[in-house]
Amino acid sequence: MYEKVHYTEASFTQLEDAISHAEEVAEHAKAQEEVIEAMTQLQAEIDGLERIPAPDPEQIDITELEKLINHAKTYEEAHYTEASFAHLQKAISHAEEVVENAETQAEVTEAITQLQKALAGLENPGS
């Protein structure tokens, strides 16, 4: 129900500790007060979980990457070696995935760099 990847490490660790304590109390409790205290502590840790904020997609600028993808798609296979053109196609596919799923600006920048390298690496068949 609660996945570690969605919460800060500190708050999730506190929850795990409270769960362990509650399980121990459940097995060895000698008084109802112990059970109530463990349940109260567990609920407090659940309530205190701190979510890791999702990236704001508006802060990620993919404009340059989209322009570069469109430019890269204008290259025709007949003018380049099979291997270099296949490398370009792979870079385009990766860049398109980044446009759809980027979580950081660094991912976008890396995709731009990879696509630029693929374009620069295109080889003419007679070279």
Side-chain angles (χ1 to χ4, degrees), residues 6-114:
H6 299 293
Y7 302 97
T8 63
E9 186 174 339
S11 70
F12 200 82
T13 298
Q14 288 176 317
L15 174 61
E16 290 175 323
D17 291 346
I19 290 170
S20 294
H21 177 70
E23 289 172 341
E24 189 175 311
V25 168
E27 287 183 32
H28 305 290
K30 294 182 179 161
Q32 184 65 28
E33 292 79 26
E34 289 180 80
V35 175
I36 292 170
E37 183 181 319
M39 288 174 43
T40 302
Q41 181 62 36
L42 182 57
Q43 187 61 54
E45 295 305 335
I46 290 170
D47 294 342
L49 279 173
E50 296 175 23
R51 278 201 164 275
I52 296 173
D56 183 355
E58 293 178 23
Q59 293 180 345
I60 299 173
D61 183 4
I62 57 172
T63 307
E64 184 180 348
L65 181 56
E66 289 175 318
K67 287 179 184 177
L68 189 57
I69 290 168
N70 290 333
H71 173 73
K73 287 182 173 183
T74 65
Y75 286 75
E76 296 179 21
E77 184 174 7
H79 301 291
Y80 304 99
T81 63
E82 186 177 328
S84 68
F85 195 78
H87 182 69
L88 174 61
Q89 295 309 303
K90 184 177 178 182
I92 291 170
S93 293
H94 173 71
E96 289 173 332
E97 287 179 33
V98 170
V99 165
E100 293 297 319
N101 303 309
E103 293 184 4
T104 66
Q105 191 65 43
E107 288 178 81
V108 174
T109 302
E110 179 61 28
I112 290 170
T113 301
Q114 288 178 4

